[in-house]
């Protein structure tokens, strides 16, 4: 085993620990205030609904060069990726719009 392999596995472990801590700590802290859990659940449900809308409007077309190895992309996988991309685009546009709206509102005040 090479030094690079050891460091790569170490980074995998640190990322996994970070993900677990990032998910569990807010849940533990929000047990004192259940209303904050409700707000989080509404946000997650909203993103899931947005994804299913984006998934339903995305195409399942696969170009012939992506059907073969090494991609082996199926129509279902293509539609899933399309849904994720559309969701990302919508969320990015909403984020940029909210930044602009906030700055305009602060400039008016």
């Amino acid at each position: 085993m090479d030094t690079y392999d050891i460091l790569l596995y170490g980074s995998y472990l640190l990322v996994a620990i970070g993900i677990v801590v990032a998910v569990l700590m807010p849940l533990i802290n929000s047990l004192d205030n259940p209303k904050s859990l409700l707000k989080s659940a509404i946000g997650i449900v909203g993103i899931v609904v947005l994804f299913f809308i984006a998934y339903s409007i995305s195409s399942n077309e696969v170009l012939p060069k992506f059907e073969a190895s090494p991609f082996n992309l199926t129509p279902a996988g293509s539609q899933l990726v399309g849904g994720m991309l559309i969701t990302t685009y919508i969320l990015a546009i909403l984020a940029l719009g909210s930044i602009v709206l906030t700055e305009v509102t602060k400039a008016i005040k």
Side-chain angles (χ1 to χ4, degrees):
M1 189 177 285
D2 208 340
T3 303
Y4 296 114
D5 292 336
I6 293 171
L7 293 175
L8 189 62
Y9 291 131
S11 66
Y12 289 156
L13 177 67
L14 289 175
V15 167
I17 290 171
I19 290 171
V20 168
V21 169
V23 170
L24 288 181
M25 290 306 291
L27 289 176
I28 292 171
N29 289 337
S30 65
L31 291 178
D32 296 334
N33 186 7
K35 288 186 179 184
S36 65
L37 279 176
L38 181 63
K39 291 179 184 178
S40 299
I42 290 171
I44 291 171
V45 168
I47 290 175
V48 168
V49 167
L50 178 66
F51 170 73
F52 281 117
I53 292 170
Y55 179 80
S56 66
I57 63 173
S58 65
S59 172
N60 62 356
E61 179 183 353
V62 179
L63 296 176
K65 68 180 180 179
F66 295 117
E67 289 179 337
S69 183
F71 301 109
N72 297 327
L73 189 60
T74 62
S78 175
Q79 190 171 12
L80 181 67
V81 169
M84 288 181 188
L85 283 172
I86 292 172
T87 303
T88 303
Y89 297 153
I90 292 171
L91 290 174
I93 291 169
L94 286 173
L96 289 173
S98 66
I99 290 170
V100 170
L101 184 65
T102 302
E103 291 301 320
V104 168
T105 306
K106 283 189 344 186
I108 291 173
K109 288 184 180 181

